[in-house]
Amino acid sequence: MLTRDQSLHLLTEKLQNQNLRRHCLSVEAVMRALAVNFEADPEKWGIVGLLHDGDYEISKDDPKQHTILMHQWLTDMGETDADILSAIISHNFSHTGKNPPHNHLEWSLYCCDELTGLIVAVTLVQPTKKLADVTLENIMKKWPQKSFAAGVDRSQIAQCEEKLGLKLEDFISLALSAMQQIAPQIGL
Ligand SMILES: [Fe+2]
Ligand SMILES: [Fe+2]
């Protein structure tokens, strides 16, 4: 399995946009916290989160290639961990038609991907624009406001209840706390 350092190196080599890098770091943090919650391997789940969008810039004009490129790069580098390879592919199944999420690792990635965006959006409307000042209540207040962060697919996040057995508020709370712990690294 690739180390975290190797994964970060690959990410920074392939992804230049700072916001996208921060998105990947956010998903990594939430995935690590979810791994702890499910008594799984935080290192492995973190790497899945860190790398899930690593080919986003290069595949942006061809969404069908998103995740397929990363899968290829990882395979070329000698990654053989089937959980990692499969989980990365699974989050773009709507475009690739390949491997819809089917376990806790894959559903965790699928559900938290959009949630990190919502948490960033809620942070940016706080007076201080600091993650440290965001509360679960701040997020839940914005949850039903469809015009707020309209690009965030709430239904994808809400599947945490059915697919992960986590109440929405508990899922959001876990993600918020994970992101707060890396706030300086994501500029918030
Ligand atoms: Fe993606
Ligand atoms: Fe993503």
Side-chain angles (χ1 to χ4, degrees):
M1 189 172 98
L2 248 67
T3 64
R4 202 265 177 183
D5 276 355
Q6 288 172 315
S7 304
L8 186 62
H9 186 264
L10 176 63
L11 186 79
T12 47
E13 179 190 306
K14 300 293 188 185
L15 210 53
Q16 304 312 312
N17 181 287
Q18 192 184 48
N19 285 336
L20 281 171
R21 285 182 183 175
R22 287 174 171 177
H23 167 67
C24 291
L25 289 168
S26 302
V27 174
E28 177 195 24
V30 179
M31 287 296 286
R32 288 187 70 97
L34 284 162
V36 171
N37 179 77
F38 288 115
E39 297 181 353
D41 179 356
E43 202 66 19
K44 178 183 287 197
W45 286 41
I47 286 170
V48 167
L50 188 62
L51 293 180
H52 82 287
D53 276 344
D55 67 17
Y56 197 84
E57 268 173 6
I58 297 172
S59 67
K60 68 177 185 298
D61 296 326
D62 186 4
K64 278 198 178 76
Q65 284 299 305
H66 174 40
T67 68
I68 304 294
L69 291 177
M70 177 53 76
H71 185 281
Q72 188 61 52
W73 298 336
L74 288 173
T75 308
D76 291 347
M77 288 172 74
E79 180 60 76
T80 54
D81 190 302
D83 296 337
I84 292 180
L85 295 169
S86 166
I88 289 173
I89 292 273
S90 73
H91 93 274
N92 195 34
F93 75 99
S94 63
H95 287 111
T96 62
K98 287 181 200 279
N99 192 28
H102 76 286
N103 57 29
H104 273 165
L105 169 59
E106 296 177 356
W107 280 115
S108 290
L109 177 61
Y110 185 77
C111 296
C112 84
D113 197 2
E114 295 280 302
L115 176 55
T116 60
L118 180 65
I119 293 175
V120 171
V122 173
T123 306
L124 295 177
V125 297
Q126 301 309 308
T128 60
K129 295 186 168 47
K130 290 287 174 203
L131 252 177
D133 297 324
V134 177
T135 64
L136 176 62
E137 291 67 36
N138 294 146
I139 300 168
M140 294 317 294
K141 207 170 155 192
K142 295 293 187 190
W143 177 266
Q145 296 177 20
K146 291 208 174 75
S147 60
F148 179 83
V152 171
D153 182 355
R154 269 73 162 171
S155 68
Q156 191 169 328
I157 301 169
Q159 280 184 273
C160 66
E161 302 212 330
E162 186 194 334
K163 304 298 184 184
L164 300 173
L166 289 171
K167 285 209 177 71
L168 179 65
E169 295 201 0
D170 293 341
F171 184 54
I172 293 177
S173 192
L174 176 151
L176 173 62
S177 142
M179 285 175 66
Q180 282 172 333
Q181 286 167 41
I182 59 147
Q185 285 134 270
I186 54 173
L188 295 171

